Amino acid sequence: VIVHEAGNVLAMNTIEATEEIGGRAVLAAGVADSIEDLLKQEGIDAPIVPATRYGLESVASWVQKFSFVLIIIGLAGAYTEINSPGFGLPGLLSVVAFGIFFFGNYAAGNLAGYELAVLLVLGLALVAVEVFLFPGTILPGALGAALILFALGLAMVDRVDFQWRWSGFEGGVSWVDLFRSSFLSLAVGLVGALVLIGVAMRYLPETKAGSWLVLKQEVPAGASLDEAEDSFEGGSEKETTQSLVGATLLAKSDLVPSGKADHQGKLLDVMSDGGFVPKGSPLRVLRHEGSLIVVEADADAETVG
């Protein structure tokens, strides 16, 4: 009996699939409404153990879905901490966010592990070297940024799929499909971090929250604080924090956006309000709040070689 001609797509309804021809079912022995019904029809006496997620697996699943949020918090906190003295709330938020990011993705079966975590820390360290030790050299910062992106992107890739693809097994996902979700989460995280950093740089110093984001007891007494105290000995706190506003400085290094500037023979840590400012440029102080000195290029003064 020809049930279906060879070479054509097999399409059967329930009645046709369970029809018996010559004492044999065409395709299926019967229809079961549930697992219990299936076991009863097959005469199997066995317990049913439902597959449920443990608490840690649920957390890992949520971390995997919202990794981009942790990337936003981690990168924005790390950037804010690098550009602020001491170890305060931004640094703590960054450490917690990246810790949850790597732990959650590792528990979810992704490539996240201590190796990639070390690469992330190394990348952040190279960016800090660029900002504090060799501003304007570009190479440490570029290499650090590449390590950060590599570590975050690879940490969200499924471990099993990556091993199958790397070993060349047939039937696995393509390289594009393997990295598509990771690339999308990383892109959203980077854009979100840039937006958050931009908003923070623009509005945070002017808010009350900006004064306690950095733990003051961890901030060493730098030249900028000494300068303010010398200018207003015995003055009020408001006068001290605004003592350099309007003063003219000279950039002793490239501001990218932070760097060094000279004021009456004293070297100060400053931050540009308008992006990159080359070494030797005259500067004007816009805001001076504690150890934070925000400057802009003084277009009315001549550049010093």
Side-chain angles (χ1 to χ4, degrees), residues 22-97:
R24 297 174 56 188
V26 173
L27 184 64
V31 179
D33 297 329
S34 62
I35 295 180
E36 292 82 359
D37 187 20
L38 172 63
L39 297 179
K40 181 180 179 180
Q41 291 188 40
E42 291 294 323
I44 299 175
D45 184 14
I48 299 176
V49 181
T52 57
R53 287 180 176 176
Y54 292 103
L56 181 60
E57 292 173 329
S58 299
V59 172
S61 177
W62 282 102
V63 170
Q64 188 177 22
K65 292 179 181 178
F66 294 96
S67 288
F68 68 94
V69 177
L70 297 173
I71 292 176
I72 293 174
I73 298 174
L75 291 180
Y79 179 86
T80 304
E81 187 64 34
I82 288 175
N83 286 275
S84 302
F87 185 81
L89 183 59
L92 180 61
L93 288 176
S94 179
V95 171
V96 172

Side-chain angles (χ1 to χ4, degrees), residues 218-230:
E218 296 292 335
V219 179
S224 58
L225 293 178
D226 293 339
E227 178 71 19
E229 292 171 358
D230 292 340

Side-chain angles (χ1 to χ4, degrees), residues 268-292:
L268 309 179
D269 294 319
V270 299
M271 178 178 295
S272 169
D273 185 56
F276 177 80
V277 178
K279 177 182 178 181
S281 300
L283 308 171
R284 184 169 61 88
V285 178
L286 298 178
R287 297 193 302 275
H288 182 188
E289 302 169 358
S291 62
L292 176 64

